[in-house]
Amino acid sequence: MNPGMPQKLSLPGVKQVVAVASGKGGVGKSTVAANLAMALHMSGKSVGLMDADIYGPSVPIMFGLGKVDQNTTPFPIEKFGIRLMSMGFLIGTEQAMIWRGPKVAQAVQSFLAQIDWGTLDYLIIDLPPGTGDAQLTLSQSAPLTGAVIVTTPGEVSLIDARKGVKMFREVRVPILGIVENMSYFTDAAGTKTPIFGVGGGMKLALESNAPFLGELPIDPRVAA
């Protein structure tokens, strides 16, 4: 084994570990991860959702939660039947995480190894955007079943999403598929308007030889 590579962690109670990733921020990756976890739970599966974005955790907002008292609240926190862990449970929304890469990687590993996830059919990991320390640490140390890449239709998003695909391929993590978010907006008359372009997700899937999992529209109810 490469001496510089993190040791593979063992999660004996977890059947499948799926990373949800994107090359850049703002494409709705956390929203996709939260809804994927919810959909799996609603299909009868036991599910955990781990927020690996140390600098900008989104999972607490998605589930209507915030900082908790560690002395009285055991981790992971359960909400809507899903077991959750996030840096947002440990710090206030006004507090900035001014950490260098190695400390971020250490925190991500502790979320995996030191949290009692119990028995799960799926552990969904919401990765931060980019291809930095957190992403590399997880892809090398977590027993990942595969990764789902989230992009928007535009070329700028695709450029960065390609880097995410390449990173997972280089560390031998299968790409489970591509999700195109913010594909179009449907007005009251039923007219679809592709605000950010057309076909980017399918284009990335074809050139990556990965399944195209579908298009998600812009829906104001999600933002609300």
Side-chain angles (χ1 to χ4, degrees):
M1 178 182 287
N2 187 333
M5 186 175 292
Q7 183 177 357
K8 281 284 186 182
L9 300 171
S10 176
L11 298 172
V14 181
K15 295 179 182 177
Q16 311 285 347
V17 183
V18 178
V20 179
S22 67
K24 69 190 298 292
V27 300
K29 171 185 49 58
S30 295
T31 306
V32 170
N35 280 280
L36 174 60
M38 203 71 226
L40 288 167
H41 169 66
M42 291 172 70
S43 71
K45 306 298 183 183
S46 54
V47 184
L49 175 58
M50 178 184 133
D51 187 348
D53 194 340
I54 302 301
Y55 296 121
S58 299
V59 164
I61 297 171
M62 299 283 172
F63 286 82
L65 298 167
K67 183 180 178 181
V68 300
D69 185 347
Q70 299 174 57
N71 297 316
T72 60
T73 306
F75 295 132
I77 295 173
E78 187 163 318
K79 184 77 180 281
F80 303 133
I82 299 175
R83 296 170 205 167
L84 307 167
M85 185 60 202
S86 171
M87 182 58 74
F89 299 148
L90 303 174
I91 62 170
T93 54
E94 71 288 343
Q95 185 176 344
M97 297 304 299
I98 308 172
W99 283 1
R100 295 190 184 275
K103 199 167 183 181
V104 171
Q106 184 180 11
V108 167
Q109 284 191 303
S110 71
F111 281 5
L112 271 178
Q114 296 177 24
I115 298 296
D116 182 10
W117 291 101
T119 301
L120 293 176
D121 293 310
Y122 291 93
L123 176 60
I124 308 299
I125 302 180
D126 179 19
L127 287 179
T131 53
D133 289 287
Q135 296 88 337
L136 200 56
T137 296
L138 270 169
S139 59
Q140 291 180 330
S141 62
L144 291 178
T145 306
V148 173
I149 307 295
V150 181
T151 186
T152 52
E155 188 60 35
V156 173
S157 179
L158 289 180
I159 289 170
D160 293 322
R162 289 186 185 103
K163 296 174 184 176
V165 170
K166 185 175 181 181
M167 180 194 74
F168 284 114
R169 289 263 162 85
E170 288 187 357
V171 295
R172 305 185 192 283
V173 173
I175 304 298
L176 301 177
I178 310 296
V179 173
E180 182 184 279
N181 194 28
M182 307 183 199
S183 296
Y184 54 85
F185 173 73
T186 304
D187 63 21
T191 302
K192 291 183 179 180
T193 303
I195 297 173
F196 297 114
V198 178
M202 179 63 80
K203 178 181 178 182
L204 178 62
L206 290 173
E207 66 185 38
S208 305
N209 194 26
F212 181 58
L213 301 179
E215 302 173 340
L216 300 176
I218 298 171
D219 190 333
R221 292 174 298 175
V222 175

